[in-house]
Amino acid sequence: MLSTSARLLRLVSLLAVRPAWTCGELAERMEVTERTVRRDVARLRELGYTVDSDPGPWGGYRLRPGTRTPPLILDDEEALAVAVGLREAALSGALGGDQAALSALLKLRQVLPKRLGDRLGDMDAAFVQTPRAGEPQVAAGTLLELAAACRRGERARMAYRDWEGRASVRDVDAYRLVHTGRRWYFVARDVARGEWRTFRADRVERVQPTGRAVEFTEPLPDPALLVSRASATGPYAVLATVRLPVPMEQALRSVPATVGLHRADGPDATVVEIGGSSAEGLARYLFSLATPLRVLAPDSVREELLRRTRELTAANEEAST
């Protein structure tokens, strides 16, 4: 005979797969009396499930969305489908820049039976995500390891390869993951340097938990702001400073915070620092903005922008003659 807990789980599962059941149908399916069904329905209501009932011999029970989130019962295939969906949402950033999908996937993986965990691991190894052009791919397992370290608030040992390809192993105090719409970044305190750093998740090669809990002291940094600054200003071969004759809000629409570091220059202008691999590349990007601007520095970017402008003007003058 099933225990009370097992019966309740079985009852929830049955109510979830059909719009309505009569008391007799549930009793027959669960091999219990109708009195037991009524008693178990009452227990489900106490747990937060909204179970509606209709009176009379042909009345029945139906499950309705409630006001709070009760336990969710999934079969094996449903659990795998949810896990894969959360994985793809995390990798694509479909739910925005927060860690909701990663957090939910972490919770689900912790309660999955080993047989399902193994199947999900096999799927992770077999699936290949097609990144945007020029964008590196992040392994789902790496994101989960980083998210777990952030969630537990513990020190981790991380193998990392920087933008120049130099490999290092460092101890970090995990804090947050930030998604910019293009990449995932790991924000942590570098223990050896004693400072907050941002790391590209696709460059993390291995994360090993140490089991050592850490406590962060106030004031804590804004993770998104740290990532924006790091993305906008370095490390780049050339840094350009430009002035846009528009307010900050409008400047951010032209040059996103992940591309440039902004500061207001009065109420109607914004100065932006933008990094690039070359003066030519920066001039090409500034030209593509199709926005009035003035290059404050360096001269190489200003001269390259003027060259492109002269070429465009000459080409159009020739076409008009």
Side-chain angles (χ1 to χ4, degrees):
M1 186 175 179
L2 291 176
S3 67
T4 301
S5 298
R7 270 202 333 272
L8 293 179
L9 293 176
R10 174 65 172 153
L11 180 55
V12 170
S13 181
L14 289 172
L15 290 171
V17 298
R18 234 171 72 174
W21 295 82
T22 67
C23 187
E25 287 172 332
L26 289 172
E28 181 181 356
R29 184 65 69 90
M30 297 175 63
E31 299 180 344
V32 297
T33 65
E34 293 187 15
R35 180 180 179 184
T36 299
V37 171
R38 288 191 288 269
R39 189 165 57 240
D40 287 348
V41 167
R43 290 193 178 102
L44 288 181
R45 288 168 173 161
E46 291 175 357
L47 291 172
Y49 292 92
T50 307
V51 183
D52 291 334
S53 59
D54 296 319
W58 303 107
Y61 295 104
R62 60 181 178 273
L63 195 60
R64 178 168 57 88
T67 56
R68 52 191 175 124
T69 306
L72 179 64
I73 310 302
L74 301 172
D75 63 24
D76 286 5
E77 297 306 316
E78 290 170 337
L80 279 175
V82 171
V84 171
L86 289 171
R87 171 191 179 278
E88 294 307 304
L91 289 174
S92 66
L95 300 180
D98 58 24
Q99 302 175 84
L102 278 175
S103 178
L105 181 55
L106 209 58
K107 292 178 181 178
L108 183 58
R109 281 200 165 189
Q110 287 172 345
V111 299
L112 285 178
K114 186 178 184 303
R115 66 181 185 281
L116 294 184
D118 291 343
R119 286 182 63 186
L120 189 57
D122 293 340
M123 294 172 78
D124 281 345
F127 284 176
V128 175
Q129 183 195 30
T130 302
R132 298 178 183 178
E135 292 297 331
Q137 185 173 340
V138 185
T142 300
L143 276 180
L144 284 176
E145 290 172 355
L146 294 173
C150 293
R151 184 180 181 84
R152 292 192 295 262
E154 71 175 357
R155 183 162 296 176
R157 184 152 293 161
M158 179 181 70
Y160 187 73
R161 193 170 296 275
D162 68 13
W163 66 285
E164 292 184 322
R166 296 174 300 191
S168 63
V169 177
R170 60 188 83 189
D171 288 344
V172 294
D173 294 337
Y175 184 48
R176 290 289 187 274
L177 278 170
V178 176
H179 191 265
T180 65
R182 298 173 59 208
R183 299 188 180 104
W184 278 101
Y185 288 86
F186 175 48
V187 178
R189 185 172 58 193
D190 189 311
V191 176
R193 299 186 181 185
E195 60 184 25
W196 290 98
R197 301 290 304 278
T198 62
F199 305 93
R200 272 180 44 176
D202 57 277
R203 292 177 180 160
V204 176
E205 298 181 337
R206 189 178 65 258
V207 183
Q208 179 182 350
T210 65
R212 177 177 175 180
V214 296
E215 291 187 6
F216 297 115
T217 56
E218 300 287 348
L220 294 174
D222 181 335
L225 183 59
L226 278 180
V227 170
S228 294
R229 287 175 174 170
S231 302
T233 59
Y236 293 109
V238 182
L239 278 178
T241 304
V242 300
R243 185 180 187 274
L244 305 179
V246 294
M248 175 80 76
E249 183 179 350
Q250 188 175 340
L252 284 167
R253 288 198 293 268
S254 299
V255 183
T258 53
V259 175
L261 188 60
H262 301 63
R263 70 174 186 272
D265 185 21
D268 300 318
T270 307
V271 173
V272 187
E273 292 182 29
I274 307 173
S277 58
S278 66
E280 182 181 4
L282 275 172
R284 184 166 56 250
Y285 172 76
L286 295 174
F287 199 81
S288 70
L289 295 178
T291 300
L293 58 87
R294 179 157 56 93
V295 178
L296 303 180
D299 293 340
S300 58
V301 175
R302 183 187 307 108
E303 291 166 1
E304 186 62 33
L305 186 63
L306 287 171
R307 184 186 68 79
R308 297 183 70 88
T309 304
R310 285 193 293 266
E311 287 180 352
L312 182 63
T313 302
N316 280 276
E317 288 176 344
E318 291 175 4
S320 64
T321 58

